[in-house]
Amino acid sequence: MDLDVFVAAHRAEWDRLDQLLRRRRRLSGHEADELVTLYQRTSTHLSQVQSSAPDPALAGSLTSLVARARSAVTGPRKASWHDAAHFFAAGFPAAVYRSRHWWIPAALLSVVVAALIGWWIGTHPDVRSAIAAPDQLREMTRPGGQYESYYSSHPATSFAAQVWTNNAQAAAVCLAFGALLGIPVLWVLFQNMLNLGIGIGLMESAGRLDTFLGLILPHGILELTAVFVAAGTGLRLGWTVIDPGPRSRRAALAAEGRSAIGMAIGLAAVLFVSGIIEGFVTPSGLPTWARIAIGVVSELLFLAYVYVLGGRAARAGETGDVSPEDRPTTVPTAA
């Protein structure tokens, strides 16, 4: 494409569109129709420039013009309660469902790692002695020791808030830094599984593994699921850097990044529920089976939410991204 000829042929249309956008008075019906027509034509021109004759200066000028025209045509849009309802009914569960091929393997592998660490610590006294002195280990694992008193060491409300904040931060790290090829995500996962494995190993060596699991499972099933979902999403974001697919790398990262931001909001709500369970159910006087049952039911409800609502929304085309009218204008890229 001869760029000079192309510019000469369409410059008058771009100038007219710019003139209409600068009008301070209300446009007439004819001018409004003209604005829409010129916006559509200029969007096509921008696509042609970017795909056939990339010129940074011209592309930047047209991108700005198209963005201004799009804002004028669509008008400002405010978020509403309908948006929030749609997000939790379709957007968030669909995003979790779409990333299941990442977070489910991450969950399975992480649980295996935690079990192996626990077995290694539980069967090797020299490893336990390297963790802490014998009297310190006894203080941690004895009835009423640190592992048990941890869940009742603070008022339930403040403890639940603290747990929620800590877990939300871990999930946010996975989502925010996933683009760094997923390396920070793997570190967060390892730290979580290391802490879990140490607890398993030490309590198993003291013959109190059942007590430990009775304290961990009520809140830990849902809590770890949220962390695994965040990790899987972060790993997917990191893989997008390597393989963006048919989209440009910038467009792919923008779309997956917006979905990850939404995921952070949804997972904060999930972790809030697990924090409530950890603050009020785990240290309660309920029988162990009842506390674990509450944890299992909360996990099953979350999975049903993801696979029923999320699966249906994903099959309908929902991705967890923002609505089309809130997305930046994109154009086709050259094959």
mmCIF file of all heavy atoms in Angstrom, residues 100-124:
data_model
loop_
_atom_site.group_PDB
_atom_site.id
_atom_site.type_symbol
_atom_site.label_atom_id
_atom_site.label_comp_id
_atom_site.label_asym_id
_atom_site.label_seq_id
_atom_site.Cartn_x
_atom_site.Cartn_y
_atom_site.Cartn_z
ATOM 1 N N ARG A 100 -8.938 -23.954 34.461
ATOM 2 C CA ARG A 100 -8.890 -25.201 35.230
ATOM 3 C C ARG A 100 -7.748 -26.110 34.791
ATOM 4 O O ARG A 100 -7.221 -26.897 35.604
ATOM 5 C CB ARG A 100 -10.218 -25.945 35.134
ATOM 6 C CG ARG A 100 -10.542 -26.487 33.747
ATOM 7 C CD ARG A 100 -11.994 -26.942 33.638
ATOM 8 N NE ARG A 100 -12.305 -27.582 32.355
ATOM 9 C CZ ARG A 100 -12.510 -26.928 31.214
ATOM 10 N NH1 ARG A 100 -12.436 -25.602 31.201
ATOM 11 N NH2 ARG A 100 -12.791 -27.580 30.095
ATOM 12 N N HIS A 101 -7.362 -26.041 33.530
ATOM 13 C CA HIS A 101 -6.268 -26.891 33.053
ATOM 14 C C HIS A 101 -4.921 -26.441 33.602
ATOM 15 O O HIS A 101 -3.915 -27.145 33.414
ATOM 16 C CB HIS A 101 -6.240 -26.894 31.526
ATOM 17 C CG HIS A 101 -7.489 -27.459 30.902
ATOM 18 N ND1 HIS A 101 -7.926 -28.739 31.166
ATOM 19 C CD2 HIS A 101 -8.402 -26.906 30.056
ATOM 20 C CE1 HIS A 101 -9.052 -28.959 30.489
ATOM 21 N NE2 HIS A 101 -9.365 -27.863 29.824
ATOM 22 N N TRP A 102 -4.906 -25.301 34.265
ATOM 23 C CA TRP A 102 -3.688 -24.835 34.912
ATOM 24 C C TRP A 102 -3.740 -25.042 36.421
ATOM 25 O O TRP A 102 -2.773 -25.519 37.016
ATOM 26 C CB TRP A 102 -3.478 -23.346 34.595
ATOM 27 C CG TRP A 102 -3.055 -23.093 33.184
ATOM 28 C CD1 TRP A 102 -3.854 -22.817 32.106
ATOM 29 C CD2 TRP A 102 -1.722 -23.118 32.679
ATOM 30 N NE1 TRP A 102 -3.108 -22.669 30.975
ATOM 31 C CE2 TRP A 102 -1.791 -22.840 31.292
ATOM 32 C CE3 TRP A 102 -0.465 -23.333 33.262
ATOM 33 C CZ2 TRP A 102 -0.651 -22.771 30.486
ATOM 34 C CZ3 TRP A 102 0.663 -23.267 32.460
ATOM 35 C CH2 TRP A 102 0.562 -22.994 31.090
ATOM 36 N N TRP A 103 -4.873 -24.686 37.064
ATOM 37 C CA TRP A 103 -4.858 -24.743 38.520
ATOM 38 C C TRP A 103 -5.095 -26.141 39.077
ATOM 39 O O TRP A 103 -4.627 -26.449 40.185
ATOM 40 C CB TRP A 103 -5.834 -23.736 39.135
ATOM 41 C CG TRP A 103 -7.287 -23.874 38.828
ATOM 42 C CD1 TRP A 103 -7.995 -23.225 37.875
ATOM 43 C CD2 TRP A 103 -8.257 -24.684 39.529
ATOM 44 N NE1 TRP A 103 -9.333 -23.572 37.902
ATOM 45 C CE2 TRP A 103 -9.515 -24.460 38.911
ATOM 46 C CE3 TRP A 103 -8.173 -25.581 40.596
ATOM 47 C CZ2 TRP A 103 -10.673 -25.093 39.341
ATOM 48 C CZ3 TRP A 103 -9.324 -26.212 41.029
ATOM 49 C CH2 TRP A 103 -10.552 -25.975 40.416
ATOM 50 N N ILE A 104 -5.774 -27.002 38.339
ATOM 51 C CA ILE A 104 -5.952 -28.374 38.841
ATOM 52 C C ILE A 104 -4.622 -29.133 38.862
ATOM 53 O O ILE A 104 -4.271 -29.747 39.884
ATOM 54 C CB ILE A 104 -7.019 -29.123 38.021
ATOM 55 C CG1 ILE A 104 -8.406 -28.523 38.289
ATOM 56 C CG2 ILE A 104 -7.019 -30.611 38.360
ATOM 57 C CD1 ILE A 104 -9.525 -29.158 37.493
ATOM 58 N N PRO A 105 -3.814 -29.136 37.783
ATOM 59 C CA PRO A 105 -2.488 -29.773 37.878
ATOM 60 C C PRO A 105 -1.608 -29.119 38.939
ATOM 61 O O PRO A 105 -0.867 -29.820 39.649
ATOM 62 C CB PRO A 105 -1.901 -29.574 36.476
ATOM 63 C CG PRO A 105 -3.083 -29.446 35.587
ATOM 64 C CD PRO A 105 -4.098 -28.699 36.400
ATOM 65 N N ALA A 106 -1.695 -27.781 39.071
ATOM 66 C CA ALA A 106 -0.904 -27.108 40.108
ATOM 67 C C ALA A 106 -1.324 -27.584 41.492
ATOM 68 O O ALA A 106 -0.469 -27.794 42.372
ATOM 69 C CB ALA A 106 -1.083 -25.591 39.993
ATOM 70 N N ALA A 107 -2.630 -27.794 41.691
ATOM 71 C CA ALA A 107 -3.124 -28.273 42.986
ATOM 72 C C ALA A 107 -2.641 -29.689 43.268
ATOM 73 O O ALA A 107 -2.149 -29.987 44.368
ATOM 74 C CB ALA A 107 -4.648 -28.213 43.009
ATOM 75 N N LEU A 108 -2.773 -30.569 42.296
ATOM 76 C CA LEU A 108 -2.367 -31.966 42.507
ATOM 77 C C LEU A 108 -0.877 -32.074 42.788
ATOM 78 O O LEU A 108 -0.456 -32.783 43.709
ATOM 79 C CB LEU A 108 -2.744 -32.799 41.276
ATOM 80 C CG LEU A 108 -4.247 -32.931 40.989
ATOM 81 C CD1 LEU A 108 -4.478 -33.704 39.694
ATOM 82 C CD2 LEU A 108 -4.953 -33.617 42.157
ATOM 83 N N LEU A 109 -0.070 -31.372 41.996
ATOM 84 C CA LEU A 109 1.370 -31.425 42.194
ATOM 85 C C LEU A 109 1.763 -30.822 43.545
ATOM 86 O O LEU A 109 2.641 -31.355 44.240
ATOM 87 C CB LEU A 109 2.072 -30.680 41.054
ATOM 88 C CG LEU A 109 3.604 -30.685 41.085
ATOM 89 C CD1 LEU A 109 4.131 -32.120 41.033
ATOM 90 C CD2 LEU A 109 4.165 -29.877 39.923
ATOM 91 N N SER A 110 1.113 -29.745 43.931
ATOM 92 C CA SER A 110 1.427 -29.094 45.205
ATOM 93 C C SER A 110 1.100 -29.998 46.384
ATOM 94 O O SER A 110 1.869 -30.083 47.352
ATOM 95 C CB SER A 110 0.662 -27.780 45.323
ATOM 96 O OG SER A 110 1.050 -26.875 44.321
ATOM 97 N N VAL A 111 -0.048 -30.680 46.321
ATOM 98 C CA VAL A 111 -0.427 -31.596 47.410
ATOM 99 C C VAL A 111 0.577 -32.740 47.512
ATOM 100 O O VAL A 111 0.967 -33.145 48.619
ATOM 101 C CB VAL A 111 -1.853 -32.126 47.177
ATOM 102 C CG1 VAL A 111 -2.170 -33.246 48.157
ATOM 103 C CG2 VAL A 111 -2.866 -30.996 47.320
ATOM 104 N N VAL A 112 1.022 -33.248 46.378
ATOM 105 C CA VAL A 112 2.040 -34.314 46.399
ATOM 106 C C VAL A 112 3.328 -33.810 47.028
ATOM 107 O O VAL A 112 3.953 -34.503 47.847
ATOM 108 C CB VAL A 112 2.299 -34.829 44.959
ATOM 109 C CG1 VAL A 112 3.522 -35.744 44.937
ATOM 110 C CG2 VAL A 112 1.077 -35.568 44.435
ATOM 111 N N VAL A 113 3.740 -32.590 46.689
ATOM 112 C CA VAL A 113 4.959 -32.014 47.265
ATOM 113 C C VAL A 113 4.815 -31.867 48.775
ATOM 114 O O VAL A 113 5.732 -32.210 49.538
ATOM 115 C CB VAL A 113 5.266 -30.655 46.607
ATOM 116 C CG1 VAL A 113 6.358 -29.917 47.374
ATOM 117 C CG2 VAL A 113 5.697 -30.853 45.154
ATOM 118 N N ALA A 114 3.672 -31.354 49.240
ATOM 119 C CA ALA A 114 3.457 -31.200 50.682
ATOM 120 C C ALA A 114 3.485 -32.552 51.387
ATOM 121 O O ALA A 114 4.060 -32.686 52.487
ATOM 122 C CB ALA A 114 2.123 -30.498 50.930
ATOM 123 N N ALA A 115 2.869 -33.577 50.774
ATOM 124 C CA ALA A 115 2.865 -34.915 51.378
ATOM 125 C C ALA A 115 4.277 -35.482 51.454
ATOM 126 O O ALA A 115 4.657 -36.093 52.471
ATOM 127 C CB ALA A 115 1.958 -35.841 50.572
ATOM 128 N N LEU A 116 5.068 -35.287 50.418
ATOM 129 C CA LEU A 116 6.445 -35.790 50.425
ATOM 130 C C LEU A 116 7.293 -35.070 51.471
ATOM 131 O O LEU A 116 8.098 -35.704 52.171
ATOM 132 C CB LEU A 116 7.070 -35.619 49.036
ATOM 133 C CG LEU A 116 6.525 -36.535 47.939
ATOM 134 C CD1 LEU A 116 7.146 -36.188 46.586
ATOM 135 C CD2 LEU A 116 6.793 -38.003 48.285
ATOM 136 N N ILE A 117 7.107 -33.767 51.599
ATOM 137 C CA ILE A 117 7.842 -33.026 52.626
ATOM 138 C C ILE A 117 7.435 -33.514 54.010
ATOM 139 O O ILE A 117 8.285 -33.713 54.896
ATOM 140 C CB ILE A 117 7.581 -31.511 52.480
ATOM 141 C CG1 ILE A 117 8.210 -30.978 51.184
ATOM 142 C CG2 ILE A 117 8.149 -30.744 53.672
ATOM 143 C CD1 ILE A 117 7.889 -29.525 50.889
ATOM 144 N N GLY A 118 6.119 -33.697 54.200
ATOM 145 C CA GLY A 118 5.656 -34.203 55.488
ATOM 146 C C GLY A 118 6.208 -35.576 55.800
ATOM 147 O O GLY A 118 6.628 -35.852 56.939
ATOM 148 N N TRP A 119 6.205 -36.477 54.807
ATOM 149 C CA TRP A 119 6.767 -37.818 55.020
ATOM 150 C C TRP A 119 8.251 -37.740 55.347
ATOM 151 O O TRP A 119 8.740 -38.434 56.251
ATOM 152 C CB TRP A 119 6.558 -38.651 53.757
ATOM 153 C CG TRP A 119 7.326 -39.950 53.772
ATOM 154 C CD1 TRP A 119 6.960 -41.128 54.364
ATOM 155 C CD2 TRP A 119 8.608 -40.180 53.189
ATOM 156 N NE1 TRP A 119 7.931 -42.072 54.192
ATOM 157 C CE2 TRP A 119 8.971 -41.519 53.462
ATOM 158 C CE3 TRP A 119 9.493 -39.379 52.460
ATOM 159 C CZ2 TRP A 119 10.168 -42.073 53.043
ATOM 160 C CZ3 TRP A 119 10.697 -39.933 52.038
ATOM 161 C CH2 TRP A 119 11.022 -41.265 52.312
ATOM 162 N N TRP A 120 8.991 -36.904 54.636
ATOM 163 C CA TRP A 120 10.437 -36.777 54.860
ATOM 164 C C TRP A 120 10.733 -36.284 56.275
ATOM 165 O O TRP A 120 11.595 -36.818 56.972
ATOM 166 C CB TRP A 120 10.994 -35.805 53.824
ATOM 167 C CG TRP A 120 12.478 -35.619 53.873
ATOM 168 C CD1 TRP A 120 13.440 -36.583 53.929
ATOM 169 C CD2 TRP A 120 13.174 -34.372 53.875
ATOM 170 N NE1 TRP A 120 14.693 -36.029 53.949
ATOM 171 C CE2 TRP A 120 14.557 -34.664 53.917
ATOM 172 C CE3 TRP A 120 12.764 -33.041 53.822
ATOM 173 C CZ2 TRP A 120 15.530 -33.666 53.928
ATOM 174 C CZ3 TRP A 120 13.729 -32.049 53.830
ATOM 175 C CH2 TRP A 120 15.083 -32.365 53.885
ATOM 176 N N ILE A 121 9.993 -35.268 56.716
ATOM 177 C CA ILE A 121 10.216 -34.730 58.055
ATOM 178 C C ILE A 121 9.762 -35.723 59.119
ATOM 179 O O ILE A 121 10.436 -35.925 60.143
ATOM 180 C CB ILE A 121 9.471 -33.390 58.214
ATOM 181 C CG1 ILE A 121 10.098 -32.329 57.295
ATOM 182 C CG2 ILE A 121 9.486 -32.918 59.662
ATOM 183 C CD1 ILE A 121 9.357 -31.017 57.270
ATOM 184 N N GLY A 122 8.613 -36.373 58.878
ATOM 185 C CA GLY A 122 8.082 -37.290 59.877
ATOM 186 C C GLY A 122 8.911 -38.535 60.081
ATOM 187 O O GLY A 122 8.891 -39.128 61.173
ATOM 188 N N THR A 123 9.666 -38.965 59.074
ATOM 189 C CA THR A 123 10.446 -40.206 59.165
ATOM 190 C C THR A 123 11.942 -39.986 59.354
ATOM 191 O O THR A 123 12.685 -40.966 59.414
ATOM 192 C CB THR A 123 10.230 -41.043 57.886
ATOM 193 O OG1 THR A 123 10.571 -40.260 56.730
ATOM 194 C CG2 THR A 123 8.782 -41.492 57.783
ATOM 195 N N HIS A 124 12.367 -38.743 59.478
ATOM 196 C CA HIS A 124 13.794 -38.468 59.634
ATOM 197 C C HIS A 124 14.011 -37.558 60.847
ATOM 198 O O HIS A 124 13.834 -36.335 60.754
ATOM 199 C CB HIS A 124 14.370 -37.800 58.375
ATOM 200 C CG HIS A 124 14.415 -38.704 57.188
ATOM 201 N ND1 HIS A 124 13.290 -39.041 56.458
ATOM 202 C CD2 HIS A 124 15.466 -39.357 56.602
ATOM 203 C CE1 HIS A 124 13.635 -39.847 55.469
ATOM 204 N NE2 HIS A 124 14.942 -40.055 55.533
#
